[in-house]
């Protein structure tokens, strides 16, 4: 089976603004495959290159060399993103709108017919558990509810691939649990989910496979259970080892 997301020897360099400072390497020859139906966790500390990778996939950043494809189409082609949904880490919506008004706006952007749009809105609001609040202004929503509105807009075009940047950032345990439940339901529908996160406990529970990135380089990739078994450690401990964090000294 051909991968839905295919990254080959991707390199991204930024020229430093200070005269004579050369370039900063944000990604160093990254290669990665994500298959249909996977929930894939993309991990790394701040500055590892996760957001740069996502920006390349979305067409916001041009690679220095290498390639990236979505559904077999080069990401530099707009058609590559027709079957994609995206939730940014920092969302901003017109908070005077209600959830259903916001989703109608995005449905028009995707040129959905009115009948289809209304059916999609009903189904999505049920999925993200916002049916009872669908007509309330978004400004009255909790942080967790606003995050679920973000997931709803990412789903309005019925995408086959969802890219989520820190989907549980800033949420309380209940909010994280609800987002994880939604991801589980999407997996059950055959969707592919690619998400970055610092919440390693959530990742270990939700993901089929993970990749760990550090200083722009891919350190390890594989099924969660296999990595935990191979390293005889939790995913958090594997993560810390891969980024070279000093181990906790053993008491004498």
């Amino acid at each position: 089976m051909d991968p839905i997301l295919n990254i080959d020897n991707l390199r991204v360099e930024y020229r430093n603004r200070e005269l004579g400072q050369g370039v900063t390497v944000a990604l160093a020859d990254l290669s990665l495959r994500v298959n249909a139906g996977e929930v894939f966790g993309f991990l790394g500390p701040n500055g590892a290159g996760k957001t740069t990778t996502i920006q390349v996939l979305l067409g916001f950043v041009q690679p220095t060399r290498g390639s990236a494809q979505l559904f077999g189409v080069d990401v530099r082609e707009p058609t590559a993103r027709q079957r994609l949904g995206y939730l940014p880490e920092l969302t901003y919506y017109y908070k005077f709108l209600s959830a259903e008004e916001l989703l109608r706006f995005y449905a028009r952007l995707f040129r959905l017919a009115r009948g289809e749009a209304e059916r999609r809105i009903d189904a999505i609001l049920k999925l993200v558990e916002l049916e009872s609040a669908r007509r309330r202004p978004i400004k009255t929503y909790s942080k967790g509810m606003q995050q679920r509105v973000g997931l709803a807009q990412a789903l309005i075009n019925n995408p086959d691939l969802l890219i989520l940047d820190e989907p549980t950032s800033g949420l309380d345990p209940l909010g994280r649990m609800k987002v994880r439940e939604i991801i589980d339901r999407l997996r059950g529908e055959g969707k592919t989910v690619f998400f970055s996160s610092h919440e390693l406990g959530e990742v270990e529970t939700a993901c089929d496979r993970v990749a760990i990135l550090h200083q722009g380089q891919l350190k390890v990739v594989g099924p969660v259970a296999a990595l935990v078994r191979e390293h005889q450690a939790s995913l958090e401990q594997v993560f810390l080892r891969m980024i070279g964090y000093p181990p906790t000294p053993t008491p004498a």
Side-chain angles (χ1 to χ4, degrees), residues 6-186:
N6 189 1
I7 298 172
D8 276 315
N9 296 315
L10 192 68
R11 188 175 184 87
V12 176
E13 298 177 352
Y14 294 108
R15 186 166 297 281
N16 293 336
R17 293 182 179 179
E18 293 81 3
L19 184 64
Q21 291 299 309
V23 298
T24 297
V25 178
L27 286 176
D29 305 317
L30 173 66
S31 293
L32 203 60
R33 310 283 183 274
V34 177
N35 299 314
E38 279 193 300
V39 176
F40 192 99
F42 196 45
L43 312 179
N46 292 333
K50 305 187 302 298
T51 297
T52 297
T53 303
I54 290 174
Q55 288 177 338
V56 170
L57 296 175
L58 296 171
F60 299 155
V61 169
Q62 295 298 314
T64 305
R65 66 168 181 259
S67 65
Q69 295 180 329
L70 298 174
F71 307 99
V73 180
D74 192 294
V75 294
R76 290 172 290 190
E77 298 292 333
T79 54
R81 291 177 288 280
Q82 288 179 342
R83 297 160 62 188
L84 171 70
Y86 170 57
L87 173 66
E89 179 180 2
L90 300 175
T91 59
Y92 178 81
Y93 305 115
Y94 295 114
K95 295 187 177 182
F96 58 85
L97 295 177
S98 67
E100 63 179 15
E101 288 170 337
L102 180 77
L103 293 181
R104 286 192 188 108
F105 170 74
Y106 280 97
R108 287 196 295 271
L109 292 180
F110 283 102
R111 299 180 181 177
L112 299 182
R114 178 171 295 188
E116 180 185 0
E118 293 303 316
R119 287 191 294 272
R120 290 289 304 155
I121 289 169
D122 289 343
I124 292 168
L125 289 175
K126 182 177 181 180
L127 173 69
V128 300
E129 299 182 11
L130 287 175
E131 285 178 295
S132 62
R134 61 186 295 159
R135 293 185 175 89
R136 282 171 45 193
I138 294 173
K139 66 183 177 182
T140 68
Y141 286 8
S142 67
K143 168 70 174 175
M145 293 170 72
Q146 290 184 27
Q147 196 74 341
R148 282 182 275 146
V149 167
L151 277 169
Q153 66 79 24
L155 291 166
I156 192 64
N157 61 323
N158 195 22
D160 293 308
L161 170 64
L162 276 161
I163 295 180
L164 312 178
D165 195 356
E166 298 288 349
T168 60
S169 176
L171 299 185
D172 62 20
L174 179 60
R176 292 198 301 271
M177 182 189 72
K178 286 186 176 293
V179 170
R180 187 173 67 243
E181 288 175 350
I182 292 167
I183 290 173
D184 285 340
R185 291 176 201 164
L186 293 171

